Amino acid sequence: MSIEVAKLTIAGVTAGLRSKEFSAEELCREALAFAEAENPKTNAYLTFSPDRALAAARRVDAKLAAGEDAGSLAGVPVAVKDVIVTKGLRTTCGSRLLEHYVPPYDATAVQRLEQAGAVIIGKTNCDEFAMGSSNENSAFGPVRNPVALDRVPGGSSGGSAAVVAQGTAVVSLGSDTGGSVRQPASFCGVVGITPTYGRVSRYGLVAFASSLDHIGPFGRSVADAAALLGAIAGRDEADATSAFAPVPDYLADLNGDVRGKKIGLPREYFKGLSSETGDVIAAAVKVLESLGCEPVEISLPATDYAIASYYIIATAEASSNLARYDGVRYTTRPKDPATLADMYRSTRGEGFGAECKRRIMLGTYVLSAGYYDAYYRKAQQARSLIAQDFARAFENVDAIITPVSPFAAFRLGEKTSDPMEMYLSDIYTITGSLAGIPCMSVPAGVTPSGLPVGMQILTRHFDETGMLRLARAYEAGAAG
Ligand code: GLN
């Protein structure tokens, strides 16, 4: 038997199980074999989890045989970014420091996936501690973009975007702090969602910048990504910042009318855009117009402060969060250090890559007594201005449409020597992260050379439903 794993959707898996075309165990074996065979092309998986996957698949088969409800994600092969902890399964965060770290517990999102019947087949490669925009900061080698193997998949969730684009998982989980779900989704031509801050529990997401970190889903369709979001969203006692707001049925609400919806086009986001990307987004806006949406030009004047304030706040939080990797806990300790200070120094000196070190130094600096007011407090003020810009805009529009990234996937090595240039990859995604509003990337077309371009949709806090409906309407409208 051969299942076309690369083309499967969640609905396809459900239908296949119901009609007994395949069992969850058969699908799991095929999916694992396919993923293992394809992986050398992209290096998107760091670890496969056949034992855990087969156990999950057998649980699904047993439930189905007993006539029980096996869950909304029953039998679906899923991949999880390697910054999300999995009990008994190595979780490296793309770092040499955690190369052998095996967590003693599951992240809430992982628990919820498996409760919904999902089959976790492996952990995906990413930039070290989710710091990066190209997946080139992984200690375990870069990921290649399955659409064009000489190009980056974006980052930091490059592996999770690549496996969905390549078809070696049906859906996946990534994490987004400043763009790490949306930007790789855009580069790889898949759907990626960053929900409202607090919508999905961060328990078990290894912390990079806690006030900005989100777990978010990838899928090849809006419906698949929405289904995954529905399965992991909702209040969690273990994360005090997770929201009490009830979780709507995203799938049930997906296919509503979007006629009359006002979509804001912020002029600041279309200034320095390459024409390759700009043309695709302009055409996408035309599709939305043809569906009855009403485009309105708006202004988000604090956008200019986004990159600077993000790289102060994110590095400040990272310098504090990463202090725990000291050789005492989690990590392999260097052999026989002479003193405690030596142990700290060698653990951190050898364990962290260049980007993490750069950020720890910058973050420590901006938090230091003499500079706190000059940098950190100012950045927090700018963050408030950015959030106010959005709040004001949403008084007049239902959603905001922007490009995801100023450019499409670049070549491996093209931007590694210039961190500032790399940081510009996230110029359009960072604002939504700082404001904590829901945002997503939906495939909008390709450049003349065939590289995917994503359109970003942003809505009010907790209006994932409105965002997903617009994305779905666009997806259907663009397909003609
Ligand atoms: N590229 C951004 C950074 O390097 C965002 C990363 C992320 O969202 N995790 O910080």
Side-chain angles (χ1 to χ4, degrees), residues 81 130-133 155-156 175-181 208 310-311 314 359 423 426:
K81 183 178 182 182
M131 297 174 185
S133 306
S156 64
S175 72
D176 192 311
T177 303
S180 277
V181 165
F208 159 14
Y310 171 84
Y311 277 97
R359 295 193 188 201
Y423 293 174
D426 302 300

Side-chain angles (χ1 to χ4, degrees), residues 374-387:
Y375 297 116
Y376 186 72
R377 194 185 304 280
K378 274 270 177 310
Q380 292 291 14
Q381 287 165 343
R383 182 179 190 171
S384 299
L385 292 178
I386 289 165

Side-chain angles (χ1 to χ4, degrees), residues 351-403:
F352 285 127
E355 186 62 27
C356 287
K357 287 180 183 160
R358 181 157 38 233
R359 295 193 188 201
I360 291 169
M361 286 189 282
L362 185 58
T364 307
Y365 178 79
V366 298
L367 286 177
S368 59
Y371 296 104
Y372 183 94
D373 284 328
Y375 297 116
Y376 186 72
R377 194 185 304 280
K378 274 270 177 310
Q380 292 291 14
Q381 287 165 343
R383 182 179 190 171
S384 299
L385 292 178
I386 289 165
Q388 282 164 19
D389 270 3
F390 280 115
R392 213 170 297 123
F394 285 128
E395 286 170 11
N396 299 315
V397 298
D398 299 293
I400 293 174
I401 301 289
T402 78

Side-chain angles (χ1 to χ4, degrees), residues 104-317:
Y105 69 106
D106 278 325
T108 299
V110 165
Q111 264 176 27
R112 290 186 181 175
L113 282 184
E114 287 185 341
Q115 272 160 13
V119 173
I120 296 173
I121 61 170
K123 303 294 292 289
T124 56
N125 202 345
C126 55
D127 284 303
E128 186 174 10
F129 289 103
M131 297 174 185
S133 306
S134 67
N135 217 126
E136 292 166 296
N137 294 337
S138 167
F140 307 105
V143 173
R144 292 174 178 275
N145 189 325
V147 179
L149 292 169
D150 60 335
R151 301 200 175 241
V152 303
S156 64
S157 313
S160 289
V163 296
V164 171
Q166 196 176 18
T168 54
V170 175
V171 284
S172 66
L173 289 185
S175 72
D176 192 311
T177 303
S180 277
V181 165
R182 289 158 285 160
Q183 187 253 21
S186 173
F187 280 17
C188 292
V190 297
V191 176
I193 302 174
T194 309
T196 308
Y197 183 79
R199 178 74 295 182
V200 174
S201 169
R202 284 182 296 113
Y203 184 66
L205 167 63
V206 175
F208 159 14
S210 312
S211 78
L212 292 157
D213 291 343
H214 303 65
I215 290 179
F218 289 95
R220 287 189 287 274
S221 67
V222 176
D224 277 4
L228 200 60
L229 177 62
I232 60 172
R235 172 71 187 167
D236 174 21
E237 294 271 295
D239 172 6
T241 62
S242 77
F244 286 95
V247 181
D249 184 340
Y250 297 124
L251 280 185
D253 293 334
L254 202 56
N255 287 306
D257 198 351
V258 297
R259 215 164 307 159
K261 293 283 176 213
K262 281 197 176 152
I263 50 172
L265 306 173
R267 80 175 73 94
E268 293 80 5
Y269 287 61
F270 290 86
K271 278 194 301 214
L273 202 57
S274 75
S275 66
E276 286 198 337
T277 308
D279 292 350
V280 173
I281 302 300
V285 169
K286 285 263 176 307
V287 171
L288 286 172
E289 243 183 302
S290 74
L291 298 170
C293 294
E294 193 189 316
V296 189
E297 192 182 282
I298 60 168
S299 172
L300 300 170
T303 302
D304 279 352
Y305 307 125
I307 294 258
S309 49
Y310 171 84
Y311 277 97
I312 290 171
I313 295 167
T315 56
E317 294 186 22

